[in-house]
Amino acid sequence: MDNIRKQKIREYFLEIFKQQSDGQSLADNDSLFVSGRLDSFSMMMFVMYLEKEFGIDFAAIDFDVHLIDSLSEIELLIDSHVSV
């Protein structure tokens, strides 16, 4: 994934954290959902964002929360499902 896409996704999460008064940093391998930092509603909204922004069809893949639990995992998902 290019740096612009990665930064856009990082900013997406940092905005959510800001709304939740979560001032913690976000490293590439930090858990987003399994850790409880974000809830299932946030996960659903992010999946919809990925579908819209990157055209990923989650109905066509064997979805598991671990596929989107960190910026590193999200990068792998996008790279494997999106043509540049």
Side-chain angles (χ1 to χ4, degrees):
M1 173 167 49
D2 64 38
N3 286 335
I4 294 171
R5 284 180 175 171
K6 191 171 189 175
Q7 186 59 33
K8 191 173 185 177
I9 291 170
R10 182 182 303 277
E11 288 171 3
Y12 176 94
F13 286 116
L14 290 175
E15 181 60 32
I16 292 172
F17 296 152
K18 182 179 174 184
Q19 292 171 8
Q20 297 177 349
S21 299
D22 178 345
Q24 296 180 47
S25 63
L26 178 59
D28 287 357
N29 292 317
D30 287 351
S31 173
L32 299 165
F33 301 103
V34 173
S35 67
R37 191 167 182 189
L38 294 173
D39 60 16
S40 58
F41 181 75
S42 299
M43 181 182 357
M44 181 187 71
M45 296 302 293
F46 183 63
V47 166
M48 291 171 42
Y49 168 80
L50 289 175
E51 288 179 331
K52 180 181 177 188
E53 189 69 28
F54 299 103
I56 298 173
D57 182 6
F58 281 89
I61 62 175
D62 189 20
F63 178 75
D64 182 278
V65 68
H66 293 91
L67 293 174
I68 61 167
D69 194 41
S70 70
L71 291 175
S72 296
E73 293 298 327
I74 294 164
E75 182 175 17
L76 289 172
L77 175 71
I78 291 172
D79 287 346
S80 66
H81 288 89
V82 175
S83 304
V84 177

